[in-house]
Amino acid sequence: MYKRQAVEFVISDGERMVYALVCHWDKKDGELVQCEVERGALVERARVSSGGRQPCHAAWRPGATARLAVSHYFGGAVSLFACAERPTLLATARVGEHAHGVAWSPDGAYVVVAVADVAGSVASLLGDDLALARTRAEDFLAPEAATAGMVQHHINRKMGHRPRHLAFASPSSLLVVHECANKLALHGFDAGTGAVSPPLHVVSTLFDAPPPSWLCGLVSAAGPEPLHAAAELVVRESAGGAIVAYVSNRMLYCGAYSSIAAFVVEAGRLAPLGAPVETFRNPRHVLVDGDRLLVGCKEKVMLFPVGAD
């Protein structure tokens, strides 16, 4: 079995440097690997400790004082790096048992973290030294708000709804996707204090309509219960000015289906943009490139046109 794996990467502004996270499947700290783009190839320039166990996500703050924030699943550490030349560790902070998604506020003042503990929370850290500014419990989702089904209900009871990834829809609004509950929540965000408001709107990331026809023959009332888990979240502003959030849903068990769901963010509400689109198995990574949406599935990469609006 492999003992280490590259799990995430970010690209610096100017697209000159690529920073990759390497996860060790033992008790070692992960690694942050800095590579330079040179003549169409990646040349490794530095390799340092990521500052914690199992790094899982990173976010880049551009500008003259560029910074890289890295979250760690085991131990709940968040690391802050200066990246002028060789990555230099500036600070670390522990926000819980499992730190997952991380994002910079649009003004770069705060690092906001999805804490995937049983209770679940969103932590706001100061972007200069990772001092805790505010935290908000994410247990606002009542048990009945979880995806219907006894097994999924039990998972939510045991593991929590697990806020996994987050992204800013605007300087004053924050989106959080909940892995086990398959929910997307819209919050207000105070750029002055880092405070996250109670949810303004919560929607399911799954099909509200009947599942695809090919699936109906595989699931019966007495058969296995389908299980899903929301994975990643990305936000795009269309040419027409609409703010659209894309969420990937992974299938975990027989009768489940993988998909990408899209929502328009407007006036404190989340409106589904059509029905979720079926994908290959387990779409984990989602990336917007202009008017294209790239989706990384278990065995394939898919490309979707997302249009001007």
Side-chain angles (χ1 to χ4, degrees):
M1 182 178 178
Y2 50 77
K3 293 185 177 180
R4 65 179 183 175
Q5 180 182 20
V7 295
E8 182 71 272
F9 72 92
V10 296
I11 302 174
S12 69
D13 45 327
E15 301 183 353
R16 189 176 69 91
M17 293 290 185
V18 175
Y19 296 86
L21 303 181
V22 177
C23 175
H24 291 268
W25 297 98
D26 51 25
K27 295 184 178 180
K28 295 180 181 178
D29 281 0
E31 295 174 299
L32 174 62
V33 182
Q34 180 193 51
C35 297
E36 186 171 5
V37 180
E38 188 175 280
R39 297 179 181 178
L42 292 175
V43 180
E44 183 174 324
R45 296 303 186 197
R47 184 180 292 257
V48 300
S49 168
S50 66
R53 290 180 57 197
Q54 291 206 8
C56 57
H57 197 240
W60 177 265
R61 185 184 79 179
T65 56
R67 295 289 184 267
L68 184 70
V70 179
S71 57
H72 298 81
Y73 185 74
F74 279 163
V78 179
S79 304
L80 181 67
F81 290 87
C83 297
E85 294 298 333
R86 179 185 176 90
T88 302
L89 181 64
L90 300 177
T92 59
R94 186 174 183 271
V95 294
E97 294 296 327
H98 304 292
H100 211 296
V102 61
W104 286 94
S105 61
D107 63 1
Y110 295 94
V111 178
V112 186
V113 188
V115 184
D117 296 354
V118 174
S121 64
V122 172
S124 298
L125 310 175
L126 294 177
D128 292 331
D129 57 10
L130 297 187
L132 181 64
R134 296 291 182 94
T135 185
R136 165 161 290 282
E138 285 288 272
D139 57 359
F140 60 83
L141 289 170
E144 58 270 19
T147 300
M150 292 181 60
V151 176
Q152 193 97 40
H153 181 82
H154 175 73
I155 289 174
N156 277 269
R157 285 287 191 184
K158 185 176 181 179
M159 301 180 64
H161 299 106
R162 290 175 65 87
R164 178 181 171 90
H165 278 293
L166 35 72
F168 281 87
S170 73
S172 60
S173 57
L174 178 71
L175 293 164
V176 182
V177 65
H178 295 257
E179 179 178 20
C180 291
N182 298 295
K183 300 291 180 180
L184 178 64
L186 174 64
H187 299 263
F189 181 78
D190 188 328
T193 65
V196 178
S197 79
L200 305 173
H201 195 202
V202 181
V203 295
S204 171
T205 64
L206 301 176
F207 284 89
D208 290 326
S213 58
W214 65 266
L215 181 63
C216 296
L218 301 179
V219 185
S220 67
E225 181 181 306
L227 293 177
H228 302 85
E232 185 136 32
L233 164 69
V234 66
V235 174
R236 166 182 177 267
E237 182 176 357
S238 73
I243 304 299
V244 182
Y246 299 91
V247 181
S248 60
N249 298 299
R250 296 168 294 166
M251 65 178 197
L252 297 184
Y253 199 64
C254 177
Y257 45 87
S258 296
S259 64
I260 297 292
F263 302 88
V264 176
V265 185
E266 187 176 15
R269 304 287 291 178
L270 295 164
L273 190 60
V277 177
E278 186 183 349
T279 69
F280 289 108
R281 292 181 59 191
N282 297 354
R284 181 178 292 268
H285 296 290
V286 184
L287 175 68
V288 170
D289 179 27
D291 58 358
R292 302 178 298 177
L293 186 71
L294 285 82
V295 180
C297 303
K298 187 173 182 180
E299 291 103 2
K300 299 177 183 292
V301 175
M302 302 182 72
L303 179 66
F304 295 91
V306 290
D309 295 305

